[in-house]
Amino acid sequence: MTVGTDSPAQARSTAPPCAPASPESQESPDRHPEAAPGPAGSAGPGENAGFGGLNPDDLPDGLVVADETGRVICFNAAASRITAVPGDRALGLPLDQALPLEDLKGRRWWTLTDPYGGLAIRRGQPERNLLLPGGREVLVSATYVREHPTGPVRRVVVSLRGTEARRRTERSHAELIATVAHELRSPLTSVKGFTATLLGKWERFNDEQKRLMLETVDADAGRIKRLIAELLDISRIDSGRLEVRRQPVDIAAAIGRHIQVHTTGGQSPDRFFVRIRPDLPDLWADPDKIDQILGNLLENAVRHGEGTVTIEVAPARAGDDGEQGTEVTVSDEGPGIPEESMSRVFTRFWRGSKRGGTGLGLYIVKGVVEAHGGTITVGRGPRGGAEFRFILPVGTPAHLL
């Protein structure tokens, strides 16, 4: 990397930090007396005008700028925080000294990339993981500023980001994969075991035994299907691609179907109490998604709660504009959710008890409700149990208004 021979003090006086790249700004420090570097290398008031009033210290990512001689003329507060190098110490230093970066193989990054030499058509470096002194990882990208496409580099603009957010995302993905793999292992083992047994010893079992094993296989296959559907839903929610196909929805009929599923499965009909308020507005929503919301909330109340499960449907106002909506409340009479856990109920892998489940259901419920433009909250019910309340706007299509 080519570096000028000016001293750090000279560089500080002739190259104001983060000043706009223009010949006039570098002709004489007397023309811009207000451009002296502030604390931690922040730009002074006069320089901010060149960026539309933006102070480099307001940027969330680290920003380091080197001039045509290779010396640092900008080192914002985020860069100081990420590198633990004070901005006023970095200003005026050669870029490779202010940012002594190495790649993951231990090679000096600026020597390897040579931003001021090499091919004149290069525009920069894409983001990659590099190492600071001490082995701390940082995400670095660089742009080479030229006056014309093949001209000399006038400035090198470097962006720095910590790796904490990426590592959190990677950990979350790893946890999701591990959880789903664990949940899939049990039903797959069952399916494989029963099918192998039936294929190998079909004639040894009577019809009742065969039916029992096939029903178990069918139930476990359904469980696998639900797990895969949950995984796909999470992927769509995280990427903002969850589609909502709106149709008229009879919410009372949908609730009735889900209660029938539970009563058929052995729950007493007396355990459920449904109250439908009059004058409900017409609800346009995705019927499959509404079934998904109701199924998760009722399953949660039956499995983790106690006593009567109350489902109440009432008209409501949704959103800041007061649009008509439908409010659905599901509550039980169990021990409820501890106050300190309520903020985590709708996060991935939260489990209210050890009674099974992936801990993904309520995360998906929240994503589906929000995809409809609605809101969902959790609290303590009138009889002490958990109470989930979601409100959906009527969602009337524009051509019907």
Side-chain angles (χ1 to χ4, degrees):
M1 180 177 70
T2 304
V3 177
T5 57
D6 294 339
S7 68
Q10 290 172 320
R12 290 190 183 99
S13 65
T14 59
C18 295
S22 65
E24 292 79 12
S25 67
Q26 299 180 12
E27 286 179 0
S28 170
D30 296 332
R31 296 189 59 173
H32 298 280
E34 73 281 4
S42 61
E47 299 145 40
N48 291 343
F51 294 94
L54 174 66
N55 188 325
D57 285 347
D58 294 335
L59 297 174
D61 295 337
L63 175 66
V64 179
V65 182
D67 64 10
E68 60 187 0
T69 70
R71 293 187 180 273
V72 174
I73 59 173
C74 177
F75 205 90
N76 74 346
S80 296
R81 184 182 68 253
I82 293 170
T83 63
V85 175
D88 53 357
R89 183 186 303 173
L91 288 173
L93 289 177
L95 184 58
D96 57 354
Q97 293 182 25
L99 282 178
L101 297 167
E102 295 181 352
D103 66 9
L104 300 183
K105 296 181 179 179
R107 297 174 296 184
R108 296 177 65 85
W109 181 243
W110 299 117
T111 302
L112 187 65
T113 58
D114 190 14
Y116 292 90
L119 293 175
I121 59 173
R122 293 184 306 169
R123 297 183 177 181
Q125 295 291 334
E127 186 176 75
R128 64 193 67 204
N129 277 34
L130 297 176
L131 300 177
L132 291 166
R136 188 155 55 94
E137 288 190 24
V138 63
L139 297 171
V140 181
S141 60
T143 299
Y144 305 156
V145 180
R146 307 174 189 269
E147 291 181 353
H148 50 86
T150 58
V153 173
R154 294 301 183 188
R155 290 198 176 189
V156 175
V157 181
V158 182
S159 173
L160 305 173
R161 290 196 298 133
T163 59
E164 293 81 5
R166 176 174 290 187
R167 289 191 180 279
R168 284 195 299 270
T169 300
E170 290 173 351
R171 283 196 298 270
S172 178
H173 289 166
E175 290 173 359
L176 178 61
I177 292 171
T179 298
V180 172
H182 175 76
E183 294 291 332
L184 285 172
R185 185 181 296 117
S186 177
L188 280 175
T189 300
S190 172
V191 169
K192 178 64 177 175
F194 278 119
T195 53
T197 301
L198 287 170
L199 288 172
K201 302 177 181 180
W202 179 267
E203 67 283 350
R204 298 187 184 183
F205 299 105
N206 59 39
D207 288 347
E208 187 62 29
Q209 290 171 325
K210 291 174 183 177
R211 174 179 291 277
L212 178 62
M213 284 190 279
L214 288 174
E215 286 176 348
T216 304
V217 169
D218 182 67
D220 285 335
R223 182 179 171 191
I224 293 171
K225 182 179 178 181
R226 288 192 299 273
L227 284 169
I228 293 173
E230 285 184 350
L231 189 62
L232 292 172
D233 284 336
I234 287 174
S235 174
R236 295 186 184 107
I237 289 169
D238 288 347
S239 62
R241 294 185 292 105
L242 188 66
E243 295 183 2
V244 175
R245 296 180 174 87
R246 296 184 184 274
Q247 301 175 32
V249 173
D250 186 340
I251 192 74
I255 291 170
R257 289 196 304 272
H258 283 279
I259 291 176
Q260 185 176 7
V261 169
H262 286 284
T263 56
T264 303
Q267 294 292 328
S268 169
D270 294 336
R271 190 176 181 189
F272 300 93
F273 176 75
V274 180
R275 180 187 292 117
I276 308 294
R277 302 288 185 180
D279 302 323
L280 290 178
D282 294 333
L283 176 63
W284 286 75
D286 189 318
D288 292 336
K289 299 291 189 294
I290 296 300
D291 280 339
Q292 198 172 18
I293 296 170
L294 294 173
N296 271 290
L297 293 183
L298 286 174
E299 176 70 21
N300 187 74
V302 169
R303 177 182 293 182
H304 304 292
E306 298 173 3
T308 301
V309 176
T310 301
I311 306 101
E312 184 171 353
V313 184
R317 295 292 176 180
D320 297 334
D321 57 357
E323 180 184 1
Q324 276 190 314
T326 299
E327 176 185 275
V328 180
T329 304
V330 179
S331 60
D332 60 74
E333 299 175 348
I337 299 170
E339 193 71 30
E340 62 273 14
S341 298
M342 286 189 179
S343 61
R344 297 184 286 111
V345 165
F346 298 109
T347 59
R348 291 183 184 181
F349 312 121
W350 183 85
R351 294 181 177 88
S353 69
K354 297 181 180 180
R355 301 181 188 176
T358 60
L360 300 173
L362 291 176
Y363 177 81
I364 293 172
V365 164
K366 183 174 186 290
V368 171
V369 169
E370 291 179 348
H372 281 82
T375 58
I376 184 168
T377 58
V378 61
R380 188 167 295 279
R383 294 182 175 87
E387 179 181 87
F388 290 89
R389 176 181 287 111
F390 67 92
I391 301 176
L392 298 178
V394 294
T396 307
H399 69 275
L400 295 179
L401 295 176

